[in-house]
Amino acid sequence: MNISDIKILQIGKFYPIRGGVEKVMYDLTLGLSERGIHCDMLCATTEGHPGGIIPLNEYGKVIALPTMVKVAATTIAPQMVTKLRQIAKNYDVIHIHHPDPMACLALFLSGYKGKVILHWHSDILKQKTMLKLYSPLQNWLIRRADLILGTSPTYVDQSPFLQTVKHKIDFLPIGVPPVEADEQHIAHIRRQYPNKRIIFTLGRLVEYKGYEYLVRAAQYLPDDVIVLIGGIGPLKEQLTQLIKQLNVHEKVKLIGFVSDDDLPAYYHVAQLFVLSSIMKTEAFAIVQIEAMSCGKPVVSCHIPGSGVSWVNQDGISGLVVEKENPQALAEALNKILNDSNLYSNLADGAKKRYNEWFTHEKMINKCIELFGKRLVTN
């Protein structure tokens, strides 16, 4: 059997697409189906979406099922169990995206006997109680998988849950199309911050993003630098108060939700991108490679066990500093901004690393290669 003859079902979280895991799942579904490989996506809905069948092309579709309730960040969608039992026999490969206990439960109850790919995006870290309950099912899924894929070699190598199954582990770096913006949009944003050098970051305003340390780092930045933090979340008020307390309101702006139309221009208008994340919850950070596609140097923090520092390589595509250290963050940002030769080298390195590892085309190519080598020929 050739890979063009197999039928693949991706199973994971949400539609409409918002988070990184579902974006990867959707991009794989779309990319494979555009290559003439039958690939569908089964997921639960969010944001009140009614669900249904969303055609992508001749070879792929999204099957979105209504969500009943969400508990401890876990989507409960009982229809997923019923639907998968009905359709599982139609597929040669099920590609399941972890962590997603509902998807795992659906696979467990489906009676499916074919090949299983487990895409290990991250460990379950914060929901300790849920992990205790889910652990037997997670262990079953790890044993059941014919192939386990990580987004970086670092994360899967160091995950405590995968130490005994390294013989069936490989990695598939996330890939995205290059971020492109029109000059008018870029100029519009630049006019809002005249005579300022812009540092951009993007993400939910939550603890693991480490924005507290980025705000504190602004104290050590010169007056002609401004940090734009895009995103919404529960820490908005806390961060607003910190900005006021430290009197850095001229150096840090919480710009709120950034639309898909505006986002490319923010990447392009910025001198560099900063990722202040401090916890292993940040397993890869797609925003890094989006910035790198624009040739922007990245400053990120070293997070033990995470793939973040594999994506942004210290001295190649940017600088990597100690986490939870405002002075170290500021020093790295200032170092890049004030050294034109370093800036140029890192900007070139960021674009080169993106082209070498993180394009959408390379992700789909490697996915096809892995499926052919590890599944179809076995």
Side-chain angles (χ1 to χ4, degrees), residues 11 18 30 33 53 66 79 81 107 111-112 127 134 136 152 158 184 196-197 229 240 246 262 289 291 293 313 318:
I11 308 179
R18 291 292 182 263
L30 185 61
S33 60
I53 305 295
Q79 287 190 36
V81 176
L107 179 62
Y112 178 72
Q127 290 84 21
Y134 176 53
S152 70
Q158 297 187 32
Q184 284 187 335
K196 293 284 190 178
R197 292 181 290 173
I229 302 177
T240 300
L246 298 176
D262 290 337
I289 61 175
S293 79
Q313 294 206 329

Side-chain angles (χ1 to χ4, degrees), residues 1-10 28 31-33 35-39 59 91-93 95 117 147 149 172 363-378:
M1 180 185 291
N2 296 318
I3 190 165
S4 58
D5 299 322
I6 68 174
K7 293 187 175 182
I8 303 164
L9 179 66
Q10 310 262 346
L28 286 172
L32 290 169
S33 60
R35 300 282 187 95
I37 299 169
H38 287 273
C39 188
Y59 294 95
Y91 297 94
D92 304 294
V93 176
H95 186 159
I117 299 168
L147 171 63
L149 294 177
L172 177 64
M363 178 176 72
I364 300 303
N365 287 345
K366 184 165 185 183
C367 185
I368 292 172
E369 175 190 335
L370 286 170
F371 283 16
K373 180 173 68 174
R374 302 292 292 265
L375 298 178
V376 176
T377 57
N378 287 349

Side-chain angles (χ1 to χ4, degrees), residues 26-48:
Y26 180 83
D27 286 351
L28 286 172
T29 302
L30 185 61
L32 290 169
S33 60
E34 286 177 341
R35 300 282 187 95
I37 299 169
H38 287 273
C39 188
D40 297 331
M41 171 176 155
L42 177 66
C43 61
T45 61
T46 188
E47 301 176 13

